[in-house]
Amino acid sequence: MQFYILMLLVLIGLPLLAVNAERSSDPKVIILLGPPASGKGTQAKKLAKELNIPHISTGDILRENVAKDTNLGHRAKNYMDRGQLVPDELVLDMLFARVAQPDAENGYVLDGFPRTIPQAEALDDRLGNKVQIQVLNLKVKDETLIKRTAGRLSCPKCGMIHNQFFSPPRNDNKCDNCSCELTQRPDDKVEVVKERLKAYHAQTAPLITFYKNKGLETDIDGEQSPDQVFSDLKKALR
Ligand code: AMP
């Protein structure tokens, strides 16, 4: 009798294992949601390293285009300087060109994308259902975000973030990682940050419900120390 029960379990279990094996080999797309200065950039880099997939930040790609004065950079700069979102059509082409690169074949960590419901819908259409999507949402209060951005210093070369109040550089205004001179992002000025927060609440925050309704979203307390946030993110990974 026990033998037949065992055989039955094996027969039921094998096809389930096969389905799971197929799923776990699908590319993994992690979407890191959160307001400006919630720690998305720092955590996205660490997650990408942990999972051995690329970190794709639309903000970084746009800033690179602005620095190189490309046609896209030229068109995006005005919006970025004012703390507004760059129009979807510009961002979508840029993002889809990046995720089509060979290094993104097994998945990637998205930081700063999607930022609007139409961007999320376009991403869904593009990915279809052969990709495992997971959305991790960093929750941080507006007061904390304003304090963080006021002291934020970014490295223009390697992108490492320091904060003159919470994590000052070891050497006067020099990046701890590559010794480059640190700068304040023009859009980290208080008045621009307020605009970015307005854009976040109006256009990006609705994505939390969008992904919650699909059962893909997990909230993470982003007010904690960076190490604790990273540990919670890792625990939340499927
Ligand atoms: P971030 O570095 O992600 O904070 O992005 C900096 C700025 O780039 C934002 O304030 C927007 O102006 C622009 N940006 C970045 N990603 C997007 C996006 N997905 N959609 C629209 N604008 C974006």
Side-chain angles (χ1 to χ4, degrees):
M1 183 64 181
Q2 275 173 337
F3 173 77
Y4 289 113
I5 293 174
L6 192 67
M7 284 306 287
L8 196 66
L9 287 176
V10 168
L11 285 174
I12 294 169
L14 276 180
L16 283 178
L17 272 178
V19 169
N20 280 336
E22 191 186 315
R23 286 206 179 131
S24 64
S25 65
D26 286 344
K28 197 172 183 67
V29 173
I30 309 281
I31 297 175
L32 219 53
L33 279 186
S38 55
K40 287 191 309 292
T42 306
Q43 299 295 341
K45 274 194 197 100
K46 290 174 80 164
L47 270 184
K49 200 166 168 200
E50 173 86 13
L51 298 168
N52 201 22
I53 51 179
H55 160 225
I56 299 182
S57 151
T58 41
D60 284 351
I61 308 177
L62 286 166
R63 277 184 290 278
E64 227 176 273
N65 276 275
V66 171
K68 289 185 185 150
D69 201 19
T70 63
N71 183 28
L72 169 63
H74 192 70
R75 294 170 72 188
K77 188 175 183 316
N78 268 338
Y79 298 98
M80 295 170 78
D81 285 351
R82 280 183 273 148
Q84 295 170 353
L85 293 187
V86 174
D88 289 341
E89 61 274 18
L90 295 184
V91 176
L92 285 172
D93 284 350
M94 174 190 93
L95 189 268
F96 292 148
R98 174 62 188 91
V99 301
Q101 302 284 311
D103 68 331
E105 196 162 76
N106 296 323
Y108 37 90
V109 178
L110 284 177
D111 156 16
F113 184 94
R115 275 258 221 321
T116 63
I117 298 278
Q119 288 182 13
E121 288 169 345
L123 182 69
D124 272 358
D125 287 350
R126 168 87 178 201
L127 296 178
N129 50 14
K130 266 281 170 200
V131 168
Q132 312 171 59
I133 299 185
Q134 189 172 7
V135 181
L136 301 167
N137 175 42
L138 295 179
K139 289 183 77 171
V140 182
K141 292 194 227 83
D142 281 8
E143 307 93 88
T144 313
L145 300 168
I146 297 205
K147 272 189 221 144
R148 283 188 189 173
T149 40
R152 185 153 78 163
L153 293 168
S154 317
C155 175
K157 192 170 168 213
C158 74
M160 187 169 179
I161 306 286
H162 303 64
N163 188 294
Q164 63 200 58
F165 309 119
F166 308 125
S167 54
R170 282 192 295 269
N171 291 319
D172 205 25
N173 225 32
K174 296 271 190 304
C175 175
D176 285 356
N177 186 42
C178 69
S179 302
C180 230
E181 191 77 19
L182 297 169
T183 54
Q184 187 189 40
R185 273 172 43 176
D187 59 351
D188 273 348
K189 295 199 178 81
V190 178
E191 62 282 13
V192 184
V193 169
K194 287 190 177 153
E195 278 308 306
R196 290 167 67 198
L197 281 175
K198 247 196 237 165
Y200 168 78
H201 288 295
Q203 293 165 277
T204 309
L207 289 174
I208 301 171
T209 311
F210 177 90
Y211 286 119
K212 219 173 236 170
N213 290 342
K214 291 174 180 274
L216 298 174
E217 188 263 4
T218 309
D219 283 337
I220 305 286
D221 176 5
E223 301 266 348
Q224 311 173 92
S225 72
D227 285 347
Q228 190 54 51
V229 173
F230 186 55
S231 150
D232 285 3
L233 285 168
K234 279 199 296 186
K235 271 189 228 145
L237 282 177
R238 281 197 305 267

